[in-house]
Amino acid sequence: MFRKMRRFKQELQQNEIERILRLNTSGVLALLDNNGYPYSVPLSYVYSNGKIYFHSAKSGHKIDAIKNYNKATFCIIDKDDVKPEKYTTFYKSVIIFGNIEILDDVEETLLAIQELGEKYYPNHSSELQNEIVKYKTAFLIIRFNIEHITGKQAKELL
């Protein structure tokens, strides 16, 4: 169902893909909106238990697109080192394919909020807990269920 990477020698190993997923802080989510246009939006995320979680407002273009069509891609750029003298870029990136859904499970939502908070505001658990309690009814969490994942790097990084 998913294509094999054409330049397979440049394919990243699974442990490197996992590193990129854990350590990076943003990527671009690509959806198909209800008018048939691609809609891509940069987002912060957390990778946990083989899934990706995003927080969101409860309405807007992204939510409408998710309700319209649940397949999506998410791209993370780990390295982007332009080498003008060589007419190339030394890069590493990951592209994820899967389906996306708005969570309605309260426990999973709170767990995702906790993990997002710890990723972006580490070592401040009491402040984080206060924010979660204060805003827990305002949170909307989106879960990206991974079906296929690839990573690629510039041949110069091999």
Side-chain angles (χ1 to χ4, degrees):
M1 175 156 125
F2 294 100
R3 291 180 178 204
K4 297 235 182 238
M5 188 175 294
R6 188 172 55 88
R7 295 188 173 173
F8 62 90
K9 291 180 182 176
Q10 293 172 247
E11 190 168 1
L12 294 176
Q13 296 296 314
Q14 186 62 34
N15 63 337
E16 181 64 2
I17 290 171
E18 291 277 332
R19 182 197 67 77
I20 290 169
L21 287 171
R22 280 191 320 278
L23 297 180
N24 280 272
T25 58
S26 65
V28 178
L29 178 66
L31 304 163
L32 185 65
D33 78 7
N34 54 349
N35 292 314
Y37 283 97
Y39 175 67
S40 56
V41 58
L43 295 172
S44 300
Y45 73 95
V46 68
Y47 175 69
S48 177
N49 297 318
K51 298 179 182 353
I52 297 171
Y53 295 92
F54 312 100
H55 66 86
S56 177
K58 292 186 176 185
S59 64
H61 198 168
K62 176 174 65 246
I63 299 303
D64 291 345
I66 291 168
K67 289 177 180 177
N68 176 60
Y69 191 69
N70 75 338
K71 293 194 183 304
T73 60
F74 188 61
C75 177
I76 302 165
I77 298 170
D78 183 60
K79 184 176 185 67
D80 182 26
D81 189 8
V82 177
K83 301 292 185 184
E85 70 282 358
K86 296 183 183 223
Y87 299 100
T88 193
T89 301
F90 292 4
Y91 65 88
K92 280 188 184 182
S93 63
V94 170
I95 298 177
I96 305 158
F97 298 83
N99 65 72
I100 191 164
E101 60 188 307
I102 298 166
L103 282 184
D104 57 9
D105 179 87
V106 175
E107 283 185 39
E108 189 175 4
T109 296
L110 289 174
L111 180 61
I113 292 166
Q114 181 74 35
E115 290 180 354
L116 279 160
E118 289 172 1
K119 179 175 182 175
Y120 293 96
Y121 196 39
N123 306 316
H124 290 85
S125 60
S126 62
E127 293 94 335
L128 175 59
Q129 291 310 312
N130 291 339
E131 290 293 305
I132 290 172
V133 168
K134 185 176 177 181
Y135 295 107
K136 72 179 176 182
T137 59
F139 290 116
L140 183 128
I141 296 294
I142 299 165
R143 180 179 64 209
F144 191 109
N145 302 301
I146 298 170
E147 294 178 30
H148 181 70
I149 190 166
T150 61
K152 187 177 176 185
Q153 64 186 333
K155 62 184 176 186
E156 293 85 358
L157 298 175
L158 295 173

